[in-house]
Amino acid sequence: MRLSAAICTRNRDDQIARAVESVLTNDYPNFELIVVDQSDSDATRRALDGLIRAYPNLRYVHTTRVGLSSAYNTAISRTTGDLIAFTDDDCVAPRDWLRQVERAFVENPDADLLYGQVLAPAELRGAPGVLPELPIPALRRISRRDGFQIFGMGACFAARRQLFNDIGGFDEVLGGGGPLRSSQDFDLQYRVYKAGLVTLLAPDVKVDHYGLRTRADWPKTLVAYGVGDGGFYMKHARCGDLFAAWLIIGRLANQTPRQLVKAALRRPYAGDYLRGMVRGLRESFKFRVDRDSRLYVAR
C-alpha cells in the first residue's frame, strides 16, 4: 500500500527538523514525506537543507497562502499515497508510526479517517504551562452505527485519499491562520459522520507533542478554540442540520454553568472559551455556506 506523510509548518525553524527527521527515520519500507511551509522567511528551508539532500523521499513546498487548512489541502493535492498521515511541526513520531497507521487501516477496512494519540513526552510532564494532549484509552469507532462524539486533533491523524474525493478537503475558513481560527479537525470528522463514513480512534498510533503553551498565552488559545468551534457548529446549522443546532445548544448548556462557576471562584481562564464560541457563532454569518459541500465560501 502506498503511503504518504505530511507536515505543515509556519515559522518554526527551531523545531521543524526534529519533527521531519522523526518521520523520515520511520521503519515503513516505502513512503514519501511532504513539508508544506508557509513561513515568512527561508529559515525553515535552511533548517531542512541537510535532510532534503539526504532523503530523496522528502519533498519541500513553500506557499505564501497562509492557513492550516490551506496547507492540508496543498499536501493532499501534492501527495500520491493511498493513505495520508499527518503530524505537526512540534511533534515527534516514533519509528513505527507509519506502520501502525497502515496496520489500523488494514485491520479496519471500512475506516475512512483515523485519529491517534497525542501525548506529552516524558521530559515535559509536569512542566509549567499547558500542553494539549489527546489520549485514546482504547480502540473506538465513530459512525452512525457506533455512535457520535466530536473528536480530533490535527497533530496525529490519517485518512484514505478516497475520503477527500468523497467529501472534499479541509474548510479553509476554519483552522489556524484562517478567519475562524481552529476546529478544521472537528469539522472534517463531523462531515465524515454525516456522510455515513467511519472515523477510527486508534491508540496504537501515537506521537509525542512538544507544543507547550505558557499560561500567559493559553487564554488566546482558548478563545481561538471557541471561535473555531462556534464557526464549525454554526456552519452546519446553517445547512439546515438540526443535529448541529442541537450540538450548539448542548455545548452552550454545558459550558455556561462551568464558566460561571470558574468566574465566581476566580479560576484562571474563566469565560475565555465561551467568549470565543459566541464570537464564532456570530462571525459565521460573515461567510456564505455551500450547502452541498458543507464548506464555507471564502471571500
Side-chain angles (χ1 to χ4, degrees):
M1 184 180 296
R2 179 68 173 164
L3 197 151
S4 299
I7 297 176
C8 301
T9 188
R10 185 167 189 255
N11 297 333
R12 282 186 174 165
D13 53 282
D14 59 331
Q15 300 186 61
I16 186 63
R18 177 179 60 183
V20 170
E21 187 171 18
S22 76
V23 176
L24 288 171
T25 54
N26 257 238
D27 58 12
Y28 193 80
N30 181 28
F31 68 95
E32 62 178 347
L33 169 61
I34 184 170
V35 175
V36 180
D37 179 22
Q38 299 177 331
S39 299
D40 298 322
S41 72
D42 67 348
T44 296
R45 171 61 191 250
R46 288 188 282 106
L48 294 176
D49 273 346
L51 293 172
I52 292 171
R53 289 194 298 269
Y55 290 90
N57 61 327
L58 172 59
R59 296 171 54 210
Y60 170 88
V61 174
H62 184 268
T63 174
T64 57
R65 189 173 183 181
V66 174
L68 181 55
S69 290
S70 173
Y72 283 155
N73 289 338
T74 298
I76 294 164
S77 68
R78 299 290 187 95
T79 52
T80 60
D82 304 305
L83 301 177
I84 312 172
F86 295 82
T87 189
D88 281 352
D89 55 9
D90 57 1
C91 293
V92 169
R95 283 180 54 82
D96 67 345
W97 180 59
L98 294 175
R99 187 157 44 84
Q100 293 293 351
V101 167
E102 182 191 56
R103 178 185 173 190
F105 279 110
V106 169
E107 293 180 353
N108 298 272
D110 62 339
D112 304 280
L113 176 66
L114 174 154
Y115 283 104
Q117 297 198 81
V118 182
L119 303 173
E123 60 267 39
L124 290 183
R125 291 172 192 159
V130 181
L131 184 63
E133 296 183 75
L134 188 72
I136 301 174
L139 187 74
R140 287 185 52 208
R141 296 160 57 90
I142 298 173
S143 70
R144 291 183 178 177
R145 178 177 179 179
D146 300 288
F148 178 73
Q149 176 189 0
I150 289 291
F151 197 93
M153 188 170 176
C156 185
F157 77 100
R160 298 186 190 274
R161 176 173 300 279
Q162 185 59 43
L163 172 68
F164 301 110
N165 297 332
D166 292 341
I167 70 168
F170 284 85
D171 192 319
E172 297 189 9
V173 172
L174 298 169
L180 296 183
R181 304 175 63 180
S182 71
S183 302
Q184 78 292 332
D185 40 15
F186 292 168
D187 178 68
L188 179 71
Q189 187 250 324
Y190 187 72
R191 286 158 51 211
V192 167
Y193 172 77
K194 294 300 290 187
L197 304 176
V198 176
T199 297
L200 186 71
L201 311 184
D204 290 337
V205 179
K206 62 187 74 171
V207 299
D208 283 341
H209 186 209
Y210 287 82
L212 185 68
R213 275 73 161 175
T214 67
R215 295 197 181 279
D217 287 338
W218 189 239
K220 293 185 293 185
T221 302
L222 285 175
V223 170
Y225 288 166
V227 170
D229 282 1
F232 141 63
Y233 286 121
M234 183 55 77
K235 176 183 69 170
H236 292 282
R238 290 172 60 196
C239 291
D241 186 335
L242 295 180
F243 185 45
W246 175 250
L247 291 174
I248 293 173
I249 295 169
R251 191 69 171 161
L252 291 173
N254 174 265
Q255 284 292 318
T256 301
R258 293 172 59 185
Q259 298 302 316
L260 289 174
V261 170
K262 283 185 177 182
L265 296 175
R266 297 186 178 180
R267 296 281 177 84
Y269 320 127
D272 294 317
Y273 172 84
L274 190 59
R275 283 194 296 271
M277 185 175 176
V278 172
R279 177 178 165 186
L281 293 170
R282 184 177 63 248
E283 292 191 359
S284 167
F285 292 92
K286 293 181 178 180
F287 303 92
R288 292 190 298 111
V289 176
D290 183 324
R291 290 192 171 203
D292 292 331
S293 66
R294 288 181 176 254
L295 296 173
Y296 280 115
V297 179
R299 292 176 297 183

